[in-house]
Amino acid sequence: MRLDIISNKKYLDVNRETGELYIAEKIDRESICPSKTSASCYLKLELILENPVRIFNIEVEILDMNDNAPQFRRDVIHLDISEATPNGERFSLSNAVDPDIGSNSVKTYHLSESEYFKIEVQTGRDGSKFAELILKRTLDREQQAVHNLILTAVDGGTPARSGTASVIVLTLENPLRIFNIELEVLDMNDNAPQFRRDAIHLDISEATPKGERFSLSNAVDPDVGANSVKTYHLSENDFFNIEVQTGRDGSKFADLILSKSLDRENQALHNLILTAVDGGTPARSGTVSIIVHVLDTNDNAPTFEKSLNTVKIFENSPIGSLVINLTAIDLDEGSNSDITYTYSLYTQERTQETFNLNPTTGEITVKGMLNYEDFKIYDMEVIATDKGANSLSGQCTIKILVEDMNDNHPEISIKSFQSPVNENIELDTVIAVVSVNDKDSGDNGIVDLSIPKNMPFKLRESSDNYYELVVSEPLDREKVPEYDITFTVTDRGSPPLSDNETMTLELLDINDNVPQFPQSFYTIRVMENNAPGALLSSLTAFDPDLHENQYLVYFIIEKEIANTSMSMLFSINPENGNLYALKTFDYEIEKEFLFHIEARDSGSPPLSSNVTVHIIIVDQNDNAPVIVSPWRAHGSVVEEKIPRSTDKGSLVAKVIALDTDSVHNSRITYQFLQVTDATLFSLDQYNGEIRTMRMFSYRDPRHQRLVVVAKDNGQPALSATVTIKLSTVETAVKAYSDMTEMPLEYDIFSDLNLYLVIGLGSVSFLLLITILVTIVLKCQKPKPSKTAAPCRNSVISERNSTIADSTLVSNDAYWYSLFLAETRKGKLVVRQPMPKGSRYIVSSIPRGTGLTDTSDSAASTLQV
């Protein structure tokens, strides 16, 4: 296959082998499509294909690019505009052309900055842009006859391109057309007089005499004749006036005449206004400034602000420090005011060695070391001389006062110091004497002595610069064993200087503190059956004193209980306060001990204190329950008979056990260990009552065997057992309640009332004695016990039953059980109701014929 181009081979060509179309020559759209009527531009090609022969028509669109800048047809545009043209008048300008199309063509115009003209861009019917020149303000040919403007056309391409043209505007007077006629143009007064310069500068010496003349430049006026400059006027002033002169050409000019002597120091510059006025109608005028510079002459001597200058300077001012800047004032100027400073007189020889005067600036600085304590006042005279042709001079006196500086530290000296001292030292006692000193003077030499606050001491001034340190508050070594007393001396300078010295005051101990126990009352619990020699507690007291005043010895304050000394029961280590038990205690015999322990120091005189010790014996479960009911003559088997017709719920027997241990360990519960028929009897585990659960039947055996165990509440628990053999009989038994109230047929009942009265009286007497003893014991105890300890021969149980030997207080069931047990012993049992409540006083008396029969009995009465 072979391709070839038939037309437009100038710009495009084709690769005959591959068919690729490529550019043969640079394409210029504006030369191919010069007309801008159509926005599109195409290159039309005809391609021929050989074998078989075929022709293809191809159109290649050429896109425009911004490769042409706008151009004006003329580089310079000339405009003639009359100065009488009104504002807002428009003038057409030739537009720029751009071969590019669309946004790449001319877009807008810009005019160079001008106060008279502006442009306005217009759009033609074909979309082209052109500009119109607009007059903004009236022209004046005399002021500016030609206006040069730059008009710039800018297209809308990226980047934008531009073209410029010069616009030259000529300002014309009212134009006249002359047609072979000679016409004379008459002048009008349209111009004001003008000076060639904006200001006229004149230099006049202040020594110039009055009447001196100075020529001034004249004003010009473009107008002619009467419309030209006619006269001059000078602004009102005190020193100058003018005189108007006429030149050979008829022009007018003015001379400036000095009418009064000048003084530069009063007024160095004179501003005048010269006005030129023409002869037109109406008259026009023009002004110019006349600036007169008054030149100086050396007619003023230097002067100081003060003829006497007093200066104060600190003695520690370093070398080079500024003392004073002496500035003399000379009203002249230039070399006439250049001043040189010199010393005229030294009142002291050492002044020149101590201070330096700068001849140019007049500064006086420190040259040597100053010391207030050596020299206090310096006097000198300084002369100021100018450098004028005829030099003039002035002088002043300087008095330099050296001020004292706080450059000496105050000194402190401890003249005497007493240490150590007893802690009971008396108030207002002097323990130290201190002196202070400061070499400075004035406030710098006044010093104050102080000690730290919150100390039991104060300073007292005894004489000039001498102080005494005295005791102001009581001292206590146990609180503060020693004091570090810092004496600080401070002067009243600014800034203040100070010095200090620290002394240590040691306090000696005295025996002023009694031994102290951590507690005022000790309660120590000791388990009974303890081993002899066991450590009970450590009662250690504390004494804040030192040495022998601190060594403590411990004692037991002797006290006898039941003819037994406390030192036989307890022992205390006299050195460390360890308390030991010397014997084994039995809770059932001794329940508590109350005594005092004393701690005594070894001071002189010795001091002591004591503490109360309460020893409480703690019970152990070391006693097994004892069954006291039903009564047993021999062994542990009890035989009882009950009617066979006993009803359900009837009381058959009551087991009562006693435990001499404490309340907790004496709590007893009852259980069946063995029972012949478990369906026939029930046992209350708390009160030990055995009751029938049903009525007997003919099938039940006649003999029933019950084994009851009574167990206490200790750890480990202890117990006792009783065996009850019950035999059923057919004979009925009277009710218990009847038996309790049946008449007694014993002979002794005739004297029963007498016995009761004696028994009740004895009990009342013993009760009264017991109350009195209890009150006495409670008064001796610091803290009474919460519950009174029971006597050894009694035990209080939670079931409200109490046994004392053969005496029982209980309800009806207890009463019946006691009645059965005591009658078998051959004793008489009597009960008597208490005045209030349902309880009873029960007494058991051995049977006999007289009072002596009951003397061996331990009959007693208890109440619950």
Side-chain angles (χ1 to χ4, degrees):
M1 178 183 68
R2 294 176 61 86
L3 287 174
D4 196 5
I5 296 178
I6 301 177
S7 62
N8 281 325
K9 294 186 66 176
K10 177 182 179 181
Y11 299 105
L12 299 175
D13 202 353
V14 66
N15 191 319
R16 299 180 180 180
E17 303 297 331
T18 62
E20 292 178 349
L21 189 65
Y22 59 92
I23 297 173
E25 186 178 331
K26 180 179 179 181
I27 297 176
D28 186 7
R29 180 189 177 283
E30 285 73 28
S31 62
I32 296 174
C33 302
S35 176
K36 299 180 64 175
T37 56
S38 176
S40 301
C41 180
Y42 296 96
L43 275 178
K44 295 183 179 181
L45 306 177
E46 289 183 354
L47 270 69
I48 185 170
L49 175 66
E50 299 178 0
N51 196 17
V53 177
R54 297 184 63 185
I55 297 175
F56 299 93
N57 294 319
I58 298 175
E59 290 184 353
V60 178
E61 183 178 5
I62 300 174
L63 301 178
D64 182 46
M65 64 179 294
N66 192 24
D67 56 347
N68 294 281
Q71 291 183 351
F72 288 91
R73 294 181 176 87
R74 291 180 295 172
D75 294 335
V76 179
I77 302 173
H78 291 274
L79 292 177
D80 295 332
I81 302 176
S82 171
E83 62 178 339
T85 303
N87 295 343
E89 188 73 15
R90 293 174 177 264
F91 304 93
S92 297
L93 300 175
S94 60
N95 61 323
V97 294
D98 192 333
D100 296 324
I101 61 173
S103 61
N104 295 327
S105 63
V106 177
K107 182 179 182 180
T108 187
Y109 293 88
H110 299 292
L111 185 67
S112 60
E113 186 175 356
S114 172
E115 59 178 323
Y116 293 96
F117 297 97
K118 67 177 181 179
I119 63 170
E120 186 175 290
V121 179
Q122 303 288 343
T123 303
R125 295 181 179 179
D126 58 352
S128 62
K129 301 288 184 178
F130 60 93
E132 288 184 339
L133 187 68
I134 302 174
L135 182 63
K136 294 195 298 182
R137 58 180 292 187
T138 304
L139 300 177
D140 187 352
R141 186 195 65 81
E142 288 76 16
Q143 184 176 359
Q144 186 175 354
V146 179
H147 297 268
N148 291 311
L149 307 175
I150 300 298
L151 181 64
T152 303
V154 183
D155 63 20
T158 303
R161 293 176 175 269
S162 62
T164 61
S166 296
V167 180
I168 300 176
V169 179
L170 299 179
T171 306
L172 304 177
E173 293 188 2
N174 294 333
L176 297 177
R177 292 185 179 182
I178 301 175
F179 299 94
N180 299 322
I181 298 176
E182 292 185 0
L183 180 62
E184 183 181 358
V185 179
L186 299 178
D187 180 55
M188 62 179 294
N189 192 23
D190 59 347
N191 294 283
Q194 291 182 351
F195 289 91
R196 292 182 178 86
R197 291 180 294 175
D198 294 335
I200 300 173
H201 293 271
L202 295 177
D203 294 332
I204 303 175
S205 172
E206 62 178 333
T208 302
K210 293 188 296 182
E212 189 77 14
R213 288 174 174 268
F214 303 95
S215 297
L216 302 177
S217 60
N218 61 325
V220 294
D221 192 332
D223 297 323
V224 296
N227 295 330
S228 63
V229 176
K230 182 179 180 181
T231 189
Y232 292 89
H233 299 290
L234 186 66
S235 60
E236 185 177 356
N237 68 94
D238 295 332
F239 294 90
F240 298 95
N241 55 36
I242 61 169
E243 185 176 300
V244 180
Q245 303 287 339
T246 303
R248 293 179 179 180
D249 57 354
S251 62
K252 301 290 184 178
F253 61 91
D255 288 337
L256 185 68
I257 301 174
L258 179 63
S259 60
K260 184 179 179 179
S261 298
L262 300 176
D263 188 357
R264 189 201 63 81
E265 288 71 32
N266 290 329
Q267 187 173 352
L269 190 68
H270 296 267
N271 287 313
L272 308 174
I273 301 297
L274 180 63
T275 304
V277 182
D278 63 19
T281 303
R284 292 177 177 269
S285 63
T287 61
V288 65
S289 294
I290 300 176
I291 301 174
V292 178
H293 299 273
V294 182
L295 301 180
D296 181 58
T297 61
N298 192 22
D299 55 348
N300 293 279
T303 59
F304 291 94
E305 183 179 359
K306 296 179 180 179
S307 59
L308 175 61
N309 294 274
T310 301
V311 183
K312 294 181 180 181
I313 184 170
F314 289 111
E315 63 175 331
N316 66 338
S317 299
I319 294 177
S321 299
L322 177 66
V323 178
I324 187 174
N325 188 0
L326 287 176
T327 303
I329 299 174
D330 193 325
L331 299 178
D332 297 325
E333 66 178 0
S335 61
N336 297 327
S337 64
D338 293 340
I339 299 173
T340 300
Y341 300 90
T342 57
Y343 283 124
S344 173
L345 175 65
Y346 294 104
T347 57
Q348 292 93 10
E349 295 180 358
R350 59 187 303 167
T351 302
Q352 190 173 8
E353 300 174 358
T354 308
F355 300 100
N356 181 59
L357 173 63
N358 189 316
T360 303
T361 63
E363 294 180 349
I364 297 178
T365 56
V366 177
K367 183 179 181 182
M369 297 299 296
L370 301 174
N371 191 349
Y372 173 84
E373 287 73 24
D374 294 340
F375 212 80
K376 300 178 176 59
I377 301 175
Y378 295 86
D379 292 320
M380 65 182 73
E381 290 185 2
V382 177
I383 298 177
T385 305
D386 63 27
K387 296 181 180 180
N390 298 316
S391 61
L392 302 175
S393 63
Q395 67 181 21
C396 71
T397 301
I398 310 297
K399 184 181 290 293
I400 300 176
L401 305 179
V402 179
E403 289 194 334
D404 180 45
M405 193 67 185
N406 195 20
D407 56 347
N408 292 286
H409 284 263
E411 298 175 353
I412 184 171
S413 176
I414 307 296
K415 298 301 181 181
S416 66
F417 191 84
Q418 182 182 355
S419 178
V421 296
N422 289 332
E423 61 176 322
N424 64 341
I425 187 172
E426 295 183 0
L427 298 181
D428 212 35
T429 301
V430 178
I431 59 176
V433 177
V434 182
S435 68
V436 293
N437 184 37
D438 195 319
K439 295 180 181 180
D440 293 320
S441 62
D443 289 342
N444 298 328
I446 300 176
V447 296
D448 298 304
L449 183 65
S450 64
I451 60 174
K453 296 181 179 179
N454 302 323
M455 277 195 169
F457 309 101
K458 66 180 181 180
L459 288 169
R460 183 172 62 198
E461 188 172 2
S462 60
S463 61
D464 189 18
N465 291 336
Y466 276 85
Y467 293 86
E468 293 177 343
L469 181 69
V470 297
V471 180
S472 60
E473 298 176 14
L475 305 181
D476 189 351
R477 188 208 61 80
E478 286 70 35
K479 293 182 179 178
V480 182
E482 64 180 21
Y483 292 91
D484 289 330
I485 305 174
T486 300
F487 296 94
T488 302
V489 58
T490 306
D491 61 28
R492 297 182 184 178
S494 180
L497 300 178
S498 63
D499 193 12
N500 60 73
E501 187 167 346
T502 301
M503 305 295 291
T504 300
L505 177 64
E506 182 182 354
L507 300 184
L508 297 177
D509 181 56
I510 63 170
N511 192 25
D512 57 345
N513 293 279
V514 298
Q516 298 176 359
F517 285 94
Q519 302 173 217
S520 61
F521 189 89
Y522 284 87
T523 300
I524 303 173
R525 299 182 180 273
V526 181
M527 190 70 67
E528 67 173 330
N529 303 320
N530 60 295
L535 176 64
L536 302 182
S537 180
S538 181
L539 307 177
T540 304
F542 170 73
D543 193 325
D545 293 324
L546 290 178
H547 309 305
E548 66 275 0
N549 298 329
Q550 188 184 40
Y551 299 146
L552 303 181
V553 180
Y554 299 88
F555 306 93
I556 295 177
I557 299 177
E558 289 297 337
K559 178 182 179 182
E560 291 188 358
I561 298 179
N563 298 325
T564 301
S565 174
M566 285 294 104
S567 60
M568 298 178 62
L569 301 177
F570 303 97
S571 173
I572 189 167
N573 189 319
E575 295 182 356
N576 56 26
N578 289 341
L579 183 64
Y580 300 91
L582 298 180
K583 61 168 288 186
T584 302
F585 299 108
D586 187 354
Y587 172 82
E588 287 70 33
I589 298 176
E590 300 140 330
K591 295 181 173 56
E592 62 180 8
F593 300 94
L594 191 68
F595 56 93
H596 299 282
I597 291 179
E598 178 181 314
R600 182 184 307 160
D601 61 27
S602 302
S604 178
L607 301 177
S608 64
S609 63
N610 58 63
V611 68
T612 302
V613 179
H614 185 201
I615 304 294
I616 298 176
I617 308 302
V618 181
D619 179 52
Q620 280 187 330
N621 191 28
D622 56 349
N623 293 284
V626 177
I627 296 177
V628 298
S629 178
W631 181 82
R632 299 162 292 175
H634 303 286
S636 60
V637 178
V638 177
E639 294 184 358
E640 300 284 356
K641 293 183 180 181
I642 61 173
R644 194 171 183 82
S645 60
T646 300
D647 293 334
K648 174 183 177 183
S650 299
L651 179 64
V652 175
K654 181 175 180 65
V655 179
I656 300 175
L658 299 179
D659 195 323
T660 58
D661 291 322
S662 65
V663 175
H664 180 77
N665 293 326
S666 66
R667 294 177 183 175
I668 297 175
T669 57
Y670 303 91
Q671 295 177 354
F672 277 133
L673 194 59
Q674 292 182 6
V675 60
T676 303
D677 189 348
T679 64
L680 187 56
F681 301 100
S682 65
L683 173 62
D684 191 305
Q685 64 174 339
Y686 297 111
N687 58 26
E689 293 180 352
I690 301 176
R691 294 181 180 271
T692 57
M693 297 175 62
R694 59 180 176 82
M695 296 185 64
F696 290 95
S697 67
Y698 68 92
R699 294 181 181 177
D700 294 328
R702 292 184 58 190
H703 301 285
Q704 298 288 333
R705 186 172 182 272
L706 306 177
V707 179
V708 179
V709 61
K711 183 184 300 183
D712 63 23
N713 196 36
Q715 292 294 334
L718 301 178
S719 63
T721 61
V722 62
T723 301
I724 302 174
K725 289 186 178 181
L726 295 178
S727 300
T728 58
V729 296
E730 299 298 335
T731 304
V733 181
K734 291 185 178 181
Y736 306 144
S737 62
D738 296 338
M739 295 178 68
T740 61
E741 299 176 0
M742 68 181 179
L744 299 176
E745 297 178 358
Y746 302 104
D747 294 337
I748 195 171
F749 249 68
S750 62
D751 299 324
L752 180 59
N753 292 334
L754 178 60
Y755 295 150
L756 289 175
V757 171
I758 294 172
L760 289 174
S762 301
V763 170
S764 300
F765 178 75
L766 292 175
L767 180 60
L768 179 60
I769 295 300
T770 303
I771 292 174
L772 291 175
V773 172
T774 304
I775 292 174
V776 172
L777 292 177
K778 285 181 177 257
C779 291
Q780 293 180 350
K781 295 181 182 180
K783 292 185 179 179
S785 302
K786 293 183 179 179
T787 58
C791 66
R792 185 174 180 273
N793 296 326
S794 65
V795 176
I796 300 175
S797 71
E798 293 183 351
R799 298 185 299 280
N800 295 329
S801 64
T802 303
I803 285 289
D805 290 343
S806 57
T807 301
L808 173 70
V809 177
S810 180
N811 53 24
D812 289 341
Y814 290 160
W815 156 249
Y816 177 68
S817 299
L818 178 61
F819 177 80
L820 293 179
E822 298 300 300
T823 53
R824 288 172 181 166
K825 298 178 183 179
K827 294 184 179 181
L828 177 63
V829 181
V830 179
R831 73 173 179 172
Q832 178 181 357
M834 291 187 66
K836 294 181 181 181
S838 60
R839 299 179 181 178
Y840 305 90
I841 298 175
V842 181
S843 301
S844 62
I845 306 172
R847 298 176 187 274
T849 58
L851 293 174
T852 57
D853 296 335
T854 64
S855 60
D856 296 333
S857 171
S860 62
T861 302
L862 297 177
Q863 54 183 322
V864 176

